[in-house]
Amino acid sequence: MADIAAHQASHSSFRSWLSRVGQGRHLLGLLFLLPAAVFLLLFLTYPLGLGVWLGFTDTRIGREGVFIGLENYQSLFDDSVFLLSVFNTILYTVGASILKFALGLWLALLLNQNLPFKSFFRAIVLLPWVVPTVLSAIAFWWIFDAQFSVISWALIKLGLIDHNINFLGDTTNARASVIAANVWRGIPFVAISLLAGLQTIPQSLHEAATLDGATGWQRFRYITLPMLSPIIAVVMTFSVLFTFTDFQLIYVLTRGGPLNATHLMATLSFQRAIPGGQLGEGAAIAVAMIPFLLSAILFSYFGLQRRKWQQGGGD
Amino acid sequence: MATVDIRAVTKAYGSTPVIHGVDIDIHDGEFVVLVGPSGCGKSTLLRMIAGLENISGGEIRIGNRVVNEVPPKERDIAMVFQNYALYPHMTVGANMGFSLKLRKAPKAEIDARVNRAAGILGLSHLLDRFPRQLSGGQRQRVAMGRAIVRDPQVFLFDEPLSNLDAKLRVQMRTEIKELHQRLKTTTVYVTHDQIEAMTMADKIVVMHDGVVEQIGAPLDLYDQPANQFVAGFIGSPSMNFIKGKVQVNGTAAFVTPSGAKFPLDRVPEGAVGKDAIYGLRPEHVRIDPQGVPVEIVVVEPTGSEILAIVRVGEQEIACLFRERLSLAPGETIHISPQPGMTHLFDAVSGQRL
């Protein structure tokens, strides 16, 4: 009897605890947040913190490191390969982003017209985005092959050149080639996002501008572009972040060669840390990317995104 | 300022015709309202005048120039859109001066014209605001200001008041009318609201299913509707249509199937003995001890007047009384039409007899 009573008592106290939790909004809220918080801490905050910490140590694979302060960073500043990789990354990001923006916007404007088979074309445009990066990189590897390149073959057959182009063996060609591959892969994201933005611009604004005497170019310049600018800011920020941290394309196509001409900070970081075993130095290179990424975000946040006319009513 | 002539204009989307040969003469300085129910083609016709839609057939002239192939910006017209279509990223001043800026007018001239228009519309203190920061009525005025600044030959309004609340709508109606009296620019105004049409227009064009039903001054349309559609569309509450026959038994009268006899102002030729529709506006019904006995169904007092729905046989008639009558549902009253205020329509074609 006493046993049952005790059991009932504990049962009811558990239930009253449950109901207290259920009624306390804050407690319940925290409870629901917990799984997400655990995931974030475990898979984002911990690795990031570990990476930053490793950058201050001389850890190698298989050997605990000791704290060495800024030594890794000091040596990186004198490291011509690292400096070249910074230059490459900036060139790659700026070049690819400008091309992706220009071509993506152009494609979005085309797809926004009343074309026949409109939805078919819109679906096709997404393909490069859907194909796994490594697959498309391997395809580009063949396209850029020194002997079997389809581009060289076609140009030779057309009689425009008389020998194969050395796409990935020459430093300038290799840089242009990887940028081209990245642009091809990145255009769908820009184009589809900007297309979505274009469709939020009311048709009547274009009609009003037409009646106000605007030519096609003036409508683009004074209506489309300013109204698209918030979306352009967001899309291009993301695009810059993706491009700046690109790894897969380069790793498959060139592994950073020739003569480190296509080594990006991400690939160099990997190469130093894993095959090279210098975890501390690799982490330092990765951490060195953070200021660039932060400044890109801040630039878009303060420079482009906030417009007075977008803010709600009131004076 | 200019005349607008619309000659046998048709419009088809693919093989679907939506406007079937419309003819309208709009005189210089006239305020013309195109009115009709949704889908009657009135907005399409306005957009054809503006050049935003192609003209499938016929001819539109603005000031004696055929504009069928003239691009919108060379037609010298200004349009106020239903949703205002203000450029959200430009201030009020920039919105109004945009067309002049595109024309590369000198800054001083742009400022002068924007300030003048803003003065007319009471927007002078709002020129640096963005459209988002304005109320509905203010946005409406900016849209008109944008039209005024250009000093065009013709103003086009596409249901400009339908996004405003009822009170503001009445106020803006008056403002638009005042503006027209002041500027005397030829105006074409599209609305589905017959009250707007009646109060503002010099001339009303009633459209229905892509054809013009009647063109005339507001009161002509009210007094002499050409057909049953116009009769039912113009006037609020709308006209009663009573089914029956014209009979001559000593005196001519309109007799309903239940045997009630309504007096006729005149007996049209060939109408005797045929099915017809008797049109009677609610406001033209009066209490008359010698009139038709009817049973009251519903009484709706509004203060200034009383709307009573009464039944004669199977048919219901709306009656509007100015007097404070004490009416109760179920009671029988006697009504008769005001002399000279009845209409007769052909039961088949709906045309006025």
Side-chain angles (χ1 to χ4, degrees):
Chain A
M1 275 306 272
D3 218 32
I4 293 171
H7 178 75
Q8 275 181 343
S10 79
H11 189 72
S12 73
S13 78
F14 176 70
R15 283 183 57 170
S16 73
W17 177 81
L18 256 190
S19 76
R20 271 209 316 279
V21 169
Q23 277 157 14
R25 286 177 54 86
H26 297 294
L27 209 54
L28 194 65
L30 282 178
L31 208 62
F32 284 146
L33 268 178
L34 208 58
V38 166
F39 268 97
L40 280 176
L41 286 172
L42 203 61
F43 294 114
L44 277 173
T45 316
Y46 170 69
L48 184 66
L50 184 64
V52 173
W53 164 249
L54 282 177
F56 293 115
T57 67
D58 62 352
T59 309
R60 293 190 198 169
I61 288 179
R63 206 194 72 186
E64 285 284 325
V66 293
F67 181 79
I68 53 167
L70 293 172
E71 215 169 284
N72 280 328
Y73 295 96
Q74 278 161 356
S75 75
L76 283 179
F77 264 105
D78 299 327
D79 182 342
S80 64
V81 176
F82 170 74
L83 294 179
L84 180 64
S85 81
V86 172
F87 169 77
N88 288 339
T89 311
I90 292 173
L91 178 76
Y92 183 72
T93 307
V94 171
S97 296
I98 289 174
L99 284 172
K100 273 190 273 197
F101 172 65
L103 294 172
L105 181 59
W106 179 62
L107 201 57
L109 289 169
L110 275 184
L111 290 173
N112 199 33
Q113 307 287 323
N114 266 326
L115 297 170
F117 310 113
K118 190 161 61 177
S119 32
F120 175 72
F121 283 121
R122 286 181 187 173
I124 290 277
V125 165
L126 271 178
L127 272 184
W129 182 249
V130 178
V131 175
T133 312
V134 174
L135 266 188
S136 53
I138 289 172
F140 269 104
W141 192 34
W142 277 103
I143 290 172
F144 293 146
D145 190 272
Q147 286 180 51
F148 306 111
S149 164
V150 65
I151 300 174
S152 297
W153 178 83
L155 291 177
I156 287 171
K157 290 284 172 193
L158 284 171
L160 294 173
I161 54 174
D162 52 11
H163 59 276
N164 279 356
I165 301 170
N166 188 7
F167 283 105
L168 299 177
D170 172 87
T171 52
T172 313
N173 283 354
R175 281 175 176 153
S177 300
V178 291
I179 288 177
N182 180 279
V183 167
W184 178 83
R185 198 182 142 58
I187 279 181
F189 172 70
V190 177
I192 294 294
S193 308
L194 292 185
L195 177 61
L198 283 176
Q199 291 182 338
T200 64
I201 301 176
Q203 186 61 28
S204 60
L205 286 188
H206 286 291
E207 291 177 348
T210 306
L211 294 181
D212 273 343
T215 59
W217 162 250
Q218 285 170 324
R219 285 208 305 277
F220 176 75
R221 163 78 185 74
Y222 293 111
I223 308 295
T224 311
L225 210 52
M227 294 209 60
L228 209 55
S229 66
I231 295 197
I232 290 176
V234 174
V235 169
M236 289 321 292
T237 306
F238 273 103
S239 179
V240 163
L241 297 187
F242 293 153
T243 315
F244 199 90
T245 56
D246 196 12
F247 174 82
Q248 298 180 64
L249 263 180
I250 300 291
Y251 202 70
V252 173
L253 281 177
T254 64
R255 303 222 167 188
L259 301 172
N260 297 323
T262 60
H263 238 321
L264 303 187
M265 291 169 86
T267 53
L268 187 67
S269 162
F270 175 80
Q271 202 201 35
R272 293 272 166 93
I274 310 298
Q278 306 283 352
L279 282 179
E281 196 182 332
I285 296 173
V287 170
M289 294 166 78
I290 293 176
F292 291 100
L293 299 177
L294 269 184
S295 56
I297 294 171
L298 291 179
F299 173 74
S300 93
Y301 185 72
F302 287 109
L304 295 166
Q305 224 176 324
R306 291 205 303 181
R307 292 284 163 87
K308 207 174 168 190
W309 58 268
Q310 293 174 311
Q311 290 163 5
D315 292 15
Chain B
M1 291 202 259
T3 58
V4 179
D5 293 321
I6 298 166
R7 289 271 166 274
V9 164
T10 61
K11 173 74 185 175
Y13 291 108
S15 58
T16 316
V18 291
I19 292 180
H20 317 267
V22 164
D23 290 280
I24 304 170
D25 284 336
I26 298 167
H27 300 140
D28 193 8
E30 204 168 28
F31 195 115
V32 171
V33 175
L34 305 181
V35 67
S38 311
C40 71
K42 56 192 189 299
S43 283
T44 308
L45 187 60
L46 191 79
R47 291 167 60 83
M48 283 156 86
I49 299 173
L52 297 172
E53 299 275 355
N54 293 325
I55 300 165
S56 305
E59 207 174 80
I60 293 181
R61 292 165 184 268
I62 298 177
N64 293 327
R65 179 171 65 139
V66 178
V67 295
N68 285 33
E69 302 301 328
V70 177
K73 64 176 196 165
E74 286 163 28
R75 293 191 184 193
D76 200 8
I77 43 112
M79 185 156 167
V80 176
F81 290 81
Q82 181 172 0
N83 63 358
Y84 318 136
L86 300 180
Y87 311 121
H89 54 292
M90 297 184 197
T91 60
V92 167
N95 259 287
M96 287 165 68
F98 186 58
S99 60
L100 299 176
K101 183 180 162 188
L102 291 177
R103 263 188 246 162
K104 301 201 162 59
K107 179 101 176 53
E109 188 199 334
I110 296 179
D111 286 347
R113 287 169 76 165
V114 167
N115 284 328
R116 178 176 154 269
I120 292 175
L121 294 162
L123 291 169
S124 302
H125 61 297
L126 299 173
L127 286 178
D128 294 326
R129 299 247 189 121
F130 286 94
R132 277 244 166 146
Q133 300 165 310
L134 304 181
S135 69
Q138 288 168 336
R139 285 181 209 179
Q140 172 65 58
R141 273 199 281 267
V142 176
M144 291 199 293
R146 196 166 62 178
I148 293 173
V149 162
R150 296 183 42 194
D151 194 16
Q153 303 240 42
V154 183
F155 281 136
L156 305 176
F157 289 87
D158 188 6
E159 308 222 13
L161 304 184
S162 52
N163 286 359
L164 301 178
D165 63 55
K167 199 174 165 190
L168 205 51
R169 204 177 302 163
V170 174
Q171 188 190 328
M172 291 307 295
R173 209 160 73 191
T174 316
E175 280 191 30
I176 293 178
K177 200 170 175 178
E178 276 177 10
L179 192 67
H180 177 252
Q181 283 163 4
R182 179 166 175 173
L183 301 176
K184 299 197 167 47
T185 305
T186 311
T187 302
V188 184
Y189 185 106
V190 161
T191 179
H192 62 268
D193 181 352
Q194 59 94 16
I195 301 263
E196 262 174 44
M198 292 294 284
T199 50
M200 298 170 82
D202 294 325
K203 185 155 87 187
I204 295 180
V205 179
V206 182
M207 291 185 69
H208 182 218
D209 284 344
V211 296
V212 171
E213 296 280 356
Q214 189 173 2
I215 300 178
L219 293 180
D220 290 345
L221 262 56
Y222 180 85
D223 292 336
Q224 300 280 320
N227 53 43
Q228 205 182 333
F229 177 80
V230 176
F233 195 80
I234 300 291
S236 172
S238 55
M239 188 185 280
N240 295 299
F241 296 117
I242 305 161
K243 294 190 193 104
K245 280 186 197 319
V246 177
Q247 287 186 355
V248 186
N249 259 346
T251 56
F254 184 84
V255 183
T256 68
S258 63
K261 280 190 181 182
F262 288 92
L264 282 174
D265 295 318
R266 60 192 180 84
V267 181
E269 264 177 63
V272 177
K274 278 205 277 185
D275 283 339
I277 305 281
Y278 189 76
L280 178 58
R281 294 195 185 277
E283 57 270 34
H284 295 151
V285 179
R286 54 181 192 171
I287 302 280
D288 176 6
Q290 271 80 54
V292 181
V294 294
E295 187 198 344
I296 298 174
V297 182
V298 178
V299 182
E300 298 174 353
T302 60
S304 63
E305 50 203 18
I306 297 173
L307 180 69
I309 311 292
V310 300
R311 189 177 287 147
V312 50
E314 292 298 304
Q315 306 189 61
E316 289 192 341
I317 302 175
C319 313
L320 202 62
F321 300 115
R322 290 269 157 192
E323 308 87 356
R324 287 269 169 111
L325 302 170
S326 57
L327 303 173
E331 277 182 5
T332 299
I333 54 172
H334 291 75
I335 58 167
S336 69
Q338 272 179 40
M341 293 296 186
T342 66
H343 309 266
L344 207 58
F345 302 100
D346 189 294
V348 182
S349 68
Q351 293 302 309
R352 183 181 190 83
L353 292 175

